[in-house]
Amino acid sequence: MKKEATANLNNSDSGKDDYISRSKQLLNKYKVKIGDSVKLISNKGDYTGIIMPRYESFNDNYVVIKLNSGYNIGISIDNIINITSEKLSETSVNVSLNPVKTDEPHNGKFVLTKGINHDIKKPLLSSSLPKILLLTTGGTIASKIDYRTGGVTSILNASDLYSIFPEISNYASIYPEFLFNEYSENLYASHWSLLSERISYAVLHEQFDGIIVSHGTDTIHYTSSAMSFALQNLSIPVVLVGSQRSSDRPSSDAFTNLLGAIKFITKTNYAGIFVCMHHTSSDETIACHIGTRVRKNHTSKRNALQSLDHFPFALIYDSDIVCNTDLKRINTRNNISKNLISKTSFDDRVFLLKFYPGFDPSFLECFSNFKYRVIILEGTGLGHVNKNCFPYLEKLIDSGIVIFMTSQCIYGRVQMTVYDTGRDLLDLGVIPLSDMSSETAIVKAMWALSNSSNKKELVEIMRTDLSNELSNTSPLIS
Amino acid sequence: MKKEATANLNNSDSGKDDYISRSKQLLNKYKVKIGDSVKLISNKGDYTGIIMPRYESFNDNYVVIKLNSGYNIGISIDNIINITSEKLSETSVNVSLNPVKTDEPHNGKFVLTKGINHDIKKPLLSSSLPKILLLTTGGTIASKIDYRTGGVTSILNASDLYSIFPEISNYASIYPEFLFNEYSENLYASHWSLLSERISYAVLHEQFDGIIVSHGTDTIHYTSSAMSFALQNLSIPVVLVGSQRSSDRPSSDAFTNLLGAIKFITKTNYAGIFVCMHHTSSDETIACHIGTRVRKNHTSKRNALQSLDHFPFALIYDSDIVCNTDLKRINTRNNISKNLISKTSFDDRVFLLKFYPGFDPSFLECFSNFKYRVIILEGTGLGHVNKNCFPYLEKLIDSGIVIFMTSQCIYGRVQMTVYDTGRDLLDLGVIPLSDMSSETAIVKAMWALSNSSNKKELVEIMRTDLSNELSNTSPLIS
């Protein structure tokens, strides 16, 4: 079997990665191609690095090389004397762990790619600036294009990331730290425990003004929910940051999202768990979402994450931050880190079951044979499933499994008193979760299961708003 | 156990259903309450009917009575002489099967509720008007409030519906027909077969200009997908219509949605499967969605249904219809009904599995013990699941189960060539479904399973755009 590979993240990028006409002819002439490690000799100097794909910001008169510093540099075809292929080594791809070199030419002769800072002479760490712990956990923000396959792989570590974005040193002293390196679809509750324990330690024993967690976007909203329950009464902001384009692509949103998080930490006074990503497809506005009220709604757009209340908690502009303080119960920052409630364990005996027409109710019988203690039923509309499920649900509830209802509608709230289907389900003991998203509900259930000793406690935790995950709950039948 | 019941469909309605101050005092005085069947004696005449809840359109000077004709009538408190409770009988609640009576007073003395036509003297059926078959299947549009519990029950039939909305007779000759009466969460593939067979018969043997199907909104998008595959090359438009407020509520959207569908049928030239619902929360614009590209995204708002491409196929204004003909491959109407492709069988051995972090891969083993032939895997982001699922997925695929990938993101498309997780899944034989929604995918898989004789055919059907469900597909590994 042969792998089909492409670096395109969406259709609109189609064809933009390939060199065409003049530049392509040049590459063919020297028998080199995208992804090759090369030595390039030009009228203006010699450069060693990797031939990068062409992006929308380049015209056809340049060849783009990624230097060892992490910079991309565009060299005019007219100035190129020779290109020779060098043996590709993994180390030549990785950027330096040290501060980026300042001796790379980057004057008007070169096209420096979008998002890379030209001024790299400032100190990387300055004691007078706010101090931010940067934990990396993997994902696109810590990924780069594999120029041999054209796909994206997860290989950068925290220090690499910092080297690529030297501009962040203008705003804060950043302390990068590698925590783990996983695509976010591979995370388990144990990763949430590890991350929340590290944050808890930092809050209690280290003196940071804020913490940034770089994270894959696929499940960033699940992790932000997990942190929101595991770490309550935070004295500082903890901001998860993802990106939809890998950090080494000129079109990457990693830098702007990171910078948005840094601005939110250094220029506002809020504490708690947040997520920063693009608000629109342009770089101009970064949205800061509340950890429990955000969802990945688009597979590829930069503004893939959306607040479940349609509008984020804060919008971060170039020099301004506008917060929706009326809408949410959010704590302000304080020095009383000892108030932190840190309960970092999760119990993953929870199943998320999305209902659909044609679902065979007898499938529910299989849960008697599994370890699950909680089922999150993602129903239709206001919280409904086929009436033929009722006897099976009743049996599961009788056996001690706790069943909560959310809606596959995404927006709005479960209300099971409106239709007789809902009232019958309430009668059976199915418990509605109001406007909690299915994604947050599954995470909260794993946390609640680990932090309760009986069903009554579990239900009480699930139906109490702890971190803005619920705006209210309708009464239960009792 | 005691039932908690409320007629509120969302928070913004809160409190609006209750009589306050003057009118409440009056009801208390006569010892009657909302939902009571009463005889009301006033200066202007005597009325028998049911006391209705108050809605936003009423001030506090009226008591609202639902008459046997289906009309709501507001009677000024100043004119009321006496109210006596009558024994509640089910028949008194049901509206007449005959054309509505014209002898009910509806002059300036009364407040007629929004959406009810004052002009009821026109003929209900006129041979000069376009002919529309109105099939009812249940759901809110055919529901009414149970004034004893405050909840909504599903009891109106097609003729009732027609009696409530006499205004539709201005636009078309409507032939109402009761097909079945189920909340849409209770529908199975067998209901889709029944509905598509009835439509097929009408297209081939009856001379309608269009067909309207009244349907519950919970799964209206699943049914519209089912009709889109079961009935291809339609010569006329078939429009599914739902409502979020029951038809007998003055705030109901049933009438405006129905009228929108009638306008679309009578004033445009398109054929195929569509869904008509509010475009915004106001009554001014009705959206007409393509059957395979629509989703219920809000639990309670009138504009709960949204097109997956963010913009509907057509917007229906008061006297104007604007169509996005550039965006979609939609057939125009024609007289060649014999070109209809009618394949009305579905095979429900398909399971929809929504992935989440913490999902236990070993759960996949249970599918070996079930009847399922297809699994729709609703992955994260571009189409990913935890890498620890891979060996289990491989085993299922080896056993002959076909596994397709969709995304829980709702918007965008599955692209499994971008990250190594996706490429590994492709290697295993998991098949991406591009921008097909999970909801449409599960329906199409049930249809494709019934209309193919082997895996190759099944996969080819799934990856071929039949009814705008796919805008393109990325290459498979082979």
Side-chain angles (χ1 to χ4, degrees), chain A residues 406-473:
Chain A
T406 62
S407 176
Q408 55 194 257
C409 285
I410 299 178
Y411 300 111
R413 69 182 66 245
V414 163
Q415 290 181 89
M416 292 166 61
T417 51
V418 178
Y419 291 91
D420 38 11
T421 302
R423 293 193 298 277
D424 289 343
L425 284 163
L426 286 175
D427 269 342
L428 293 176
V430 173
I431 298 157
L433 290 182
S434 189
D435 58 347
M436 202 187 306
S437 74
S438 303
E439 293 79 13
T440 297
I442 189 116
V443 174
K444 187 174 182 184
M446 291 187 196
W447 181 81
L449 196 57
S450 184
N451 289 283
S452 58
S453 51
N454 56 51
K455 178 180 170 180
K456 195 179 163 221
E457 260 181 59
L458 171 73
V459 172
E460 196 175 317
I461 292 172
M462 287 301 285
R463 287 173 51 85
T464 303
D465 178 37
L466 299 178
S467 200
N468 292 298
E469 74 278 13
L470 278 176
S471 64
N472 69 31
T473 50

Side-chain angles (χ1 to χ4, degrees), chain A residues 140 222 297 409-410 415 419, chain B residues 9 140 222 297 408-410 419:
Chain A
T140 305
Y222 292 92
N297 278 348
C409 285
I410 299 178
Q415 290 181 89
Y419 291 91
Chain B
L9 279 171
T140 304
Y222 292 92
N297 279 347
Q408 56 194 255
C409 285
I410 298 176
Y419 290 91

Side-chain angles (χ1 to χ4, degrees), chain A residues 281-328:
Chain A
S281 56
S282 92
D283 283 343
E284 281 165 25
T285 316
I286 303 300
C288 184
H289 307 276
I290 288 169
T292 54
R293 303 215 61 80
V294 60
R295 192 179 188 282
K296 185 171 184 178
N297 278 348
H298 200 287
T299 60
S300 61
K301 283 191 178 172
R302 295 176 193 205
N303 56 331
L305 291 209
Q306 294 182 331
S307 276
L308 291 169
D309 306 296
H310 296 276
F311 215 71
F313 173 67
L315 292 179
I316 300 155
Y317 302 98
D318 187 33
S319 57
D320 206 13
I321 299 179
V322 179
C323 295
N324 277 318
T325 51
D326 291 345
L327 296 176
K328 294 291 160 192

Side-chain angles (χ1 to χ4, degrees), chain A residues 9 140 152 183 185-186 218 222 297 354 378 380 384 387 408-410 415 418-421 427, chain B residues 1 9 140 152 183 185-186 218 222 295 297 354 378 380 384 387 408-410 415 418-421:
Chain A
L9 280 171
T140 305
V152 178
Y183 286 135
E185 64 269 25
N186 292 332
D218 268 30
Y222 292 92
N297 278 348
K354 179 171 175 173
E378 189 176 292
T380 61
H384 303 138
K387 61 189 173 190
Q408 55 194 257
C409 285
I410 299 178
Q415 290 181 89
V418 178
Y419 291 91
D420 38 11
T421 302
D427 269 342
Chain B
M1 291 211 288
L9 279 171
T140 304
V152 178
Y183 285 136
E185 63 269 24
N186 292 332
D218 268 29
Y222 292 92
R295 191 179 190 283
N297 279 347
K354 178 170 176 173
E378 188 175 293
T380 61
H384 303 139
K387 61 189 174 190
Q408 56 194 255
C409 285
I410 298 176
Q415 289 181 90
V418 177
Y419 290 91
D420 38 12
T421 301

